[in-house]
Amino acid sequence: MNFGQVDNIDEVDFSIPHDHPDTDKILAKSKAKAKDLQIYVGCAKWSKKDLKDFYPKGTKNELEYYASQFNAIELNATFRKRYWAPQYEKWADTAPDGFKFCPKLGQFISHVKRLDGVEESLDLFAENASHLRDRMGVTFLQMHDNFTPKDFDRVKRFAEYWKFDIPVAVELRHADWYSDPKLCDDVFRVFANNKITNILVDTAGRRDMMHMRLTTPTAFVRYVGCNHASDYTRLDAWVERVADWKKKGLKDLYFFVHQWAEEESPKLSAYFIEKLNKKIGTKMKVPVIVE
């Protein structure tokens, strides 16, 4: 993942900003108790090519092994290729109870049509992806970084159209979505009114995407490490923020770890899980990492 990559890592302020005031309001309305928080942590891919030494020698079914170590995956494969019901069923059958897939909406919807006239495509996606059954987590839409606020109406139509029994999160990348406070209020109000989760992106070169504004009691975080020592202290700060959100009423957390060199993602994810377990008393499995 090269989005937000920089050369001057040591000059980046990686501190997590204070929560937006609306975050407290959203969490207060959720009425979720601290003990009810569900946490899902994973990587962006399960491919052995990307994760290299994560898999024991002789592993034949990479998804099956991955799902034995983590409880979620950010399913980026669905971005470049349309999959039909049988493939979603196969994925669901491979993963154990409690595992969640978070499929990415296809590039035809986000990058080709750019949310214009995509109702039929959305219907088709939802129909097929529903075959993940209880292994469905949160699907997500990631817009191209040249998709600007001039198309605000398209975002609004998308949010109002999405009435499927599948929760959805949205990532808007162009900087102009965050530079104008009124526009930011408008788009996040649309998300909140339609129960759309906005995605937080923690990456070096785009600190504006750390707006810390939740629009549902679900937090969807895409964390991008830099293959740098700071990756771990940054995760320590996220543990503290999650602990705070848990007390305030966070219902679900989806936390996906990326790296510029993805082979280190499992190690970072395992670190985060272990720290969360110690901090908030969760009992998530800590993945086995072979040094």
Side-chain angles (χ1 to χ4, degrees), residues 44-174:
K45 308 173 183 178
W46 68 70
S47 168
K48 189 173 184 178
K49 178 181 178 181
D50 294 297
L51 302 188
K52 294 184 178 180
D53 297 331
F54 172 64
Y55 294 96
K57 185 177 181 180
T59 299
K60 294 181 178 179
N61 189 321
E62 293 166 11
L63 174 57
E64 182 177 51
Y65 180 77
Y66 174 94
S68 74
Q69 301 299 307
F70 291 100
N71 66 355
I73 182 75
E74 186 185 284
L75 188 56
N76 282 276
T78 52
F79 175 68
R80 300 194 181 278
K81 180 179 177 181
R82 177 179 289 171
Y83 289 95
W84 305 100
Q87 180 60 67
Y88 285 104
E89 290 174 355
K90 183 177 180 181
W91 284 331
D93 291 342
T94 302
D97 290 344
F99 188 89
K100 300 295 183 182
F101 292 89
C102 292
K104 187 176 183 178
L105 283 164
Q107 61 182 341
F108 179 77
I109 293 169
S110 59
H111 287 43
V112 178
K113 297 293 288 183
R114 299 169 71 85
L115 298 186
D116 184 31
V118 295
E119 290 80 6
E120 184 177 346
S121 295
L122 293 175
D123 292 345
L124 191 60
F125 171 83
E127 178 184 349
N128 286 284
S130 66
H131 287 264
L132 284 172
R133 307 185 301 275
D134 60 353
R135 269 66 165 180
M136 169 62 78
V138 176
T139 190
F140 71 105
L141 170 72
Q142 182 188 81
M143 297 308 298
H144 196 289
D145 54 15
N146 64 14
F147 182 82
T148 69
K150 71 179 178 60
D151 288 320
F152 173 85
D153 287 346
R154 296 186 185 187
V155 176
K156 187 172 186 289
R157 285 200 303 270
F158 168 84
E160 292 174 347
Y161 186 80
W162 192 275
K163 302 302 181 184
F164 308 108
D165 291 332
I166 299 173
V168 65
V170 175
E171 178 180 324
L172 298 172
R173 288 187 159 191
H174 196 283

Side-chain angles (χ1 to χ4, degrees), residues 6 20-21 35 41 55 91 110 113 129 144 148 165 172 189 211 227 229 231 264 270 272:
V6 298
H20 187 278
K35 65 181 180 63
V41 180
Y55 294 96
W91 284 331
S110 59
K113 297 293 288 183
H144 196 289
T148 69
D165 291 332
L172 298 172
R189 189 174 299 113
H211 45 73
N227 299 101
D231 295 344
E264 290 191 20
F272 181 65

Side-chain angles (χ1 to χ4, degrees), residues 252-267:
D252 299 289
L253 170 68
Y254 289 84
F255 196 99
F256 294 110
V257 175
H258 298 251
Q259 280 280 54
W260 296 345
E262 287 287 4
E263 64 266 23
E264 290 191 20
S265 295
K267 186 176 181 180

Side-chain angles (χ1 to χ4, degrees), residues 187-211:
V187 71
F188 287 151
R189 189 174 299 113
V190 167
F191 285 175
N193 290 343
N194 292 281
K195 300 180 180 179
I196 306 292
T197 295
N198 59 327
I199 295 176
L200 288 162
V201 182
D202 186 346
T203 188
R206 286 296 305 278
R207 303 312 291 167
D208 55 332
M209 296 186 72
M210 284 283 283
H211 45 73

